[in-house]
Amino acid sequence: MFRTSCCFLLIVVSAFFAGTAVGQQYASECTLPNRQTGQCMPVKSCRPIYETFLRAKAENRKLSADEVANLQKFFCGTISNTVHVCCAATDIQLNADGLEILKKQEQCGVLTGNKVSNGVEAALFSFPWMALLVYNDTRDPYKCGGSLISERYVLTAAHCLKPDLHLVRLGEHRISTERDCLPNGLVCAPPVENIEIELAIPNYSFRRFSHDIALLRLKRAVQYQKHIKPICLPIYDELRPKRYPEYVISGWGRTDKAPISDVLMAAVIPFVELPECQTVLQKYRLRSRLNESHICAGNRNLVDSCDGDSGGPLGYKDMYNGHPRFIQFGVVAFGVNLCGEGDSPNVYTNVSHYLQWITDNISN
C-alpha cells in the first residue's frame, strides 16, 4: 500500500476523513486533543502527523487502527481539497512539498556581478527573476512587478491583484523595444514571454497595510533561459532572521522624468529599523502599526521604490546552501509615495515571515 510517493499517503489520509465537514480556515485556531490551542494546518506542515505517514511508508505497511484513531483526533477540516490537522505551534514546519519545490530551484538567484549602484538602469540579464504584471488598461497597463520563484509561481503584493490583471511578462528589460540587446548589439536576449495567470492567491489575512503578499500561479511552467530564472527565497534557518545594512530593489516604477520607467531600474537602499520607520511614517499621517511582518528600507540620495514598483523584490546577496546567491527578503508593499523626494522610507512585506504560507500554497 505504501510503495509509491509520499503524495499517495495524503490520498490515503483523505480517505480516512472523507465525508467529515469542519468549518475551519487555514491557520485558524483549533483545539488539540490535550485541550491546548493549535493551528489548523496541512498535514505536511505538521511534523509529528506527517512523520506518522513517513514511518508507515518506510516500513512498507498500512497505518494501524490506533494510528488512524489518533489521526482522526487531530483532523480540523478539508480546505481547498487539502486535509488539515490541528497542530501545536512548536510542531509546525515548512510544508514538505512546497519546500521541495523551492529547493529544486538550484540555479535561483545566480549573480552576474556587482552591477547595481544608486538608481541606475539594470544591466541586461542581471535580474532575470523580474516579472512585469500586465493589466487590461490602455492608459496604465503596468501597475506592478513581481518575482519568479519557481517554474509556475510569481511572488507579488496582494494589493496588485486587481480585476483587470491580465498576464505576467517574464524576461522583459526595456518595455518599448521588441528585442533587448547589450549596447554593442552583439548579444541580445530571447523574446519576452507573456503568460496567462491560472490562479491568484492573496494572503488569507491581507489588509491594505498588512499581510500584503500574494502568489500568482502561471497557466504553464516556464522554461528557464538566460533572461528568465527564479530568485532565491530565505528557506534556510540561518537566512530567515538576517538583516543587512542595505538592500537592492529593482523595478519599472515611476521616475522623476516619466510616469513609469521604460527600462528596468535597480538601486541600493539602506535598511531602517522599525521604530525609526514608524516615527517617520507617522509624520506623514500613515499610522499603520509595523511589526515583524514588515521590513523598512530606503530613501537615500533621492533613491527609493515608487509607483509601479509594488510587488517587486527587495533582496541582498548572501550564501545560499553554500553558494553566493541573490535572495529575496521583501516585497514592495507601501509608503508615502515620496519616491526619494523626502525623508520617508518605504515598507516591504517580510518574506521570511510568510514562508510557511508560501510553501503551503505552491504545488507542482
Side-chain angles (χ1 to χ4, degrees):
M1 183 175 180
F2 295 106
R3 293 174 183 167
T4 55
S5 69
C6 295
C7 296
F8 182 72
L9 300 178
L10 295 192
I11 297 174
V12 174
V13 76
S14 297
F16 292 148
F17 301 124
T20 308
V22 178
Q24 290 283 1
Q25 295 181 333
Y26 169 81
S28 59
E29 284 192 358
C30 53
T31 303
L32 292 158
N34 63 5
R35 311 310 299 168
Q36 298 295 311
T37 298
Q39 286 181 260
C40 193
M41 301 297 293
V43 168
K44 289 192 175 182
S45 297
C46 190
R47 186 178 298 105
I49 301 296
Y50 185 46
E51 286 178 351
T52 299
F53 288 94
L54 292 180
R55 202 160 42 243
K57 178 178 182 292
E59 296 168 2
N60 195 29
R61 63 174 176 81
K62 296 181 179 180
L63 293 173
S64 69
D66 286 345
E67 287 172 326
V68 172
N70 185 56
L71 287 172
Q72 289 174 331
K73 295 177 184 177
F74 289 87
F75 179 64
C76 60
T78 300
I79 305 167
S80 299
N81 298 317
T82 300
V83 171
H84 282 53
V85 292
C86 196
C87 193
T90 54
D91 290 330
I92 295 174
Q93 64 179 8
L94 295 185
N95 188 294
D97 281 351
L99 183 60
E100 183 63 21
I101 289 171
L102 296 178
K103 284 184 174 180
K104 283 182 178 178
Q105 313 307 310
E106 296 177 353
Q107 295 302 307
C108 69
V110 174
L111 298 166
T112 58
N114 296 320
K115 300 178 179 178
V116 180
S117 57
N118 287 334
V120 299
E121 177 180 339
L124 187 65
F125 306 120
S126 60
F127 295 91
W129 42 81
M130 286 301 300
L132 183 62
L133 306 194
V134 184
Y135 297 79
N136 280 322
D137 183 346
T138 56
R139 183 184 60 83
D140 185 18
Y142 311 115
K143 299 179 178 71
C144 285
S147 54
L148 186 69
I149 63 171
S150 77
E151 294 95 337
R152 292 295 296 267
Y153 288 90
V154 165
L155 188 64
T156 187
H159 78 263
C160 291
L161 304 187
K162 303 179 186 301
D164 60 344
L165 177 56
H166 177 48
L167 51 82
V168 171
R169 181 176 299 168
L170 299 172
E172 183 62 281
H173 182 72
R174 187 177 294 276
I175 297 173
S176 62
T177 57
E178 192 70 26
R179 296 195 72 188
D180 295 318
C181 303
L182 293 177
N184 60 17
L186 298 178
V187 178
C188 296
V192 301
E193 294 197 23
N194 293 317
I195 306 177
E196 293 183 358
I197 298 164
E198 181 177 284
L199 182 65
I201 312 169
N203 183 270
Y204 62 100
S205 296
F206 167 62
R207 299 293 183 272
R208 180 61 186 90
F209 298 114
S210 59
H211 311 294
D212 194 358
I213 191 168
L215 289 161
L216 299 174
R217 180 173 168 85
L218 306 177
K219 272 198 173 180
R220 63 173 174 83
V222 65
Q223 296 295 314
Y224 295 152
Q225 304 174 61
K226 188 172 183 179
H227 67 323
I228 301 176
K229 294 178 183 177
I231 197 169
C232 299
L233 298 186
I235 59 175
Y236 297 105
D237 292 343
E238 66 273 15
L239 289 172
R240 271 174 253 168
K242 280 196 173 182
R243 293 292 177 268
Y244 303 88
E246 59 188 18
Y247 290 90
V248 177
I249 53 172
S250 52
W252 292 268
R254 180 163 64 87
T255 67
D256 58 350
K257 297 179 180 178
I260 190 171
S261 174
D262 182 47
V263 67
L264 180 64
M265 303 288 287
V268 177
I269 58 173
F271 170 70
V272 179
E273 295 285 354
L274 288 180
E276 177 187 349
C277 186
Q278 186 80 69
T279 299
V280 175
L281 290 177
Q282 286 176 342
K283 288 192 336 185
Y284 293 93
R285 300 175 184 268
L286 206 159
R287 296 187 172 88
S288 177
R289 300 305 303 175
L290 303 180
N291 54 44
E292 69 279 358
S293 70
H294 300 107
I295 295 174
C296 270
N299 217 306
R300 178 179 65 193
N301 300 328
L302 301 184
V303 175
D304 210 346
S305 55
C306 199
D307 293 343
D309 288 322
S310 286
L314 173 89
Y316 199 70
K317 60 182 180 181
D318 205 332
M319 296 304 291
Y320 178 91
N321 196 27
H323 304 283
R325 296 294 169 81
F326 191 82
I327 304 159
Q328 181 173 358
F329 291 95
V331 173
V332 181
F334 66 92
V336 291
N337 276 337
L338 298 178
C339 299
E341 297 293 336
D343 64 348
S344 177
N346 274 333
V347 182
Y348 301 78
T349 303
N350 182 356
V351 172
S352 294
H353 188 76
Y354 294 93
L355 280 174
Q356 185 66 56
W357 175 80
I358 292 170
T359 58
D360 281 330
N361 282 276
I362 61 176
S363 58
N364 288 313

